[in-house]
Amino acid sequence: MAIRPDYEVGTVSVTAGGVTVTGVGTLWAAADIQTGDTFKVKNLDAIIASVDSNTQITLREAWTGGALAASSYAIRYQPDGSRYTAATRALIELLGNGNLTAFSALAGALDLIPIFTGAGAMTLVSRQELTQGIDVDAKVETLAERAGYDGQAAGFTVLVANVGDGRSAVYFKASNTLGDWSVPAYLTGPNGTFQSKGNYSGAITYAIGDVVLQNGSSWIARVVTTGNPPPTLPTTSNTQWFLLAAAGNGFVFKGDYAGATAYLKDDVVINQGSSWIALQATTGNAPPTLPTTSNAYWKAIAVKGSGDVSGPATNADANLALWNGANSKTLKDGGPITAAGLASVNIAGTPAANKLPYLTGASSSALTDLTAFVRTLLDDADGNAFLTSLGVTKLVSSPGYVKFPNGFVMQGGYDSGGTGDHTITFPVALASVTAVIAHGIGAMAGTSSLAFVATNVTSSSFAIQPRFVNSGGTVGVATQAFYWLVMGFVNP
């Protein structure tokens, strides 16, 4: 055994409480300083954990002395015998778990390979089994093809590639009886080892090997799991899932843009009637408004034709299209057209000036002439103007009159009374008089009653004779107020 002296070349520096020692003028790696050798300064020792280079070593524990700067030192080599003994003991401890004992108990033979069946337990398997798979008597694609071997002897085996649900299985003849096959020994699950389960759902229980889609990426289940979703990228695994293919490796169509949806790079959406591709992961950042075709989050792939108005995703046939808000560039479904609306649309006749629509049924209408006379009535501000348009002439005074287009005239007034009999003159002379009416004002004393007699009626006047009737006799009235009304015609 070689006796090596301490190594003391160069100087060293180390901080108080540090584990890294740096040297100046040292050749520690070249001098074969090794793990387990002792670093010494004065009366302090430390065990070397590793030799990093000719000028750096790492201590197993923090340096308990003060800081050193360009200090002298010594490194004492560990004796080779001690080093070999320690390594041998470590190896014995590593191999003392039963693995060597299990291996030594195997009886080796040609083309047999040892494999572990558990901790400290091993067995031998045939190389052919590992390289060629299951050894069967026949291989067929479907169960129908297996029927060709129904007459084989007991123990005859057939591998069926697809038993009808995507799984592969091995069958063997249970007896010599025709068609007496065993239950299937399945080799894969439906559709192969990976079970495609579509979009991830927290309500579904997934088995090992099930594959789901989440946020545009595909994931495979590591364990049986329910309610534990795959992680969010860039994390590629958790306790339940491994990433198979990350989103962003191709276009992923996401339908109409929604501000609440989290989009990933290369997701494609429809917005404003145009298609857009995400330039980065984004939530709540909409594509720009046309004619701008890109922003920090989106770039237009296909821009719709001229104009930038878009409509709703769904609507009903023959419904009205309405703007969706003030100054909007989108339309909404305005609902069905009412019967009155249909009537206004279904107008019979040829539109022209001075035509007026009118309803002819529950959902139909037509046009009629709007005459000049009717137009003068429609623009009148009040009833007086309306009567004037009708040709009614009126004088609002006492006496006054109203004259109608056909020549009929009503005229009348108030008379405060006069001495004895007197004459009332008409405001408008009549061609013929049809009625003269007088009615007194005021109460009569005693048993007297009042009577008015119209005489000497002409086209322009009549004489009034007011009288008291008292106890069967008549007495002339000196003063009595009354109203009078005369009706008749003038020449049209």
Side-chain angles (χ1 to χ4, degrees), residues 312-355:
T314 60
N315 52 57
D317 183 40
N319 279 10
L320 292 171
L322 302 178
W323 290 114
N324 190 17
N327 302 319
S328 173
K329 292 186 178 181
T330 58
L331 298 173
K332 64 181 178 180
D333 189 344
I337 301 177
T338 63
L342 288 174
S344 64
V345 172
N346 298 328
I347 297 178
T350 301
N354 299 320
K355 293 290 185 178

Side-chain angles (χ1 to χ4, degrees), residues 30-55:
D32 197 27
I33 305 300
Q34 299 183 27
T35 299
D37 290 343
T38 304
F39 173 77
K40 302 172 68 68
V41 175
K42 296 182 180 180
N43 62 340
L44 296 176
D45 295 346
I47 304 301
I48 296 174
S50 65
V51 179
D52 306 320
S53 67
N54 279 330
T55 58

Side-chain angles (χ1 to χ4, degrees), residues 274-277 279 287-288 290-295 298-303:
S274 300
S275 57
W276 307 80
I277 184 171
L279 302 177
L290 294 172
T292 302
T293 57
S294 67
N295 59 16
W298 300 94
K299 184 175 181 60
I301 298 177
V303 179

Side-chain angles (χ1 to χ4, degrees), residues 200 204-207 221 223-229 240-241:
Y200 171 81
I204 295 176
T205 298
Y206 296 100
V223 296
V224 176
T225 178
T226 305
N228 299 299
Q240 293 81 26
W241 302 93

Side-chain angles (χ1 to χ4, degrees), residues 246-254 263-269 276-282 297-298 301:
N249 298 328
F251 292 173
V252 179
F253 181 65
K254 293 292 187 176
Y263 296 101
L264 299 174
K265 183 179 181 297
D266 292 335
D267 281 352
V268 175
V269 299
W276 307 80
I277 184 171
L279 302 177
Q280 59 177 297
T282 178
Y297 306 97
W298 300 94
I301 298 177

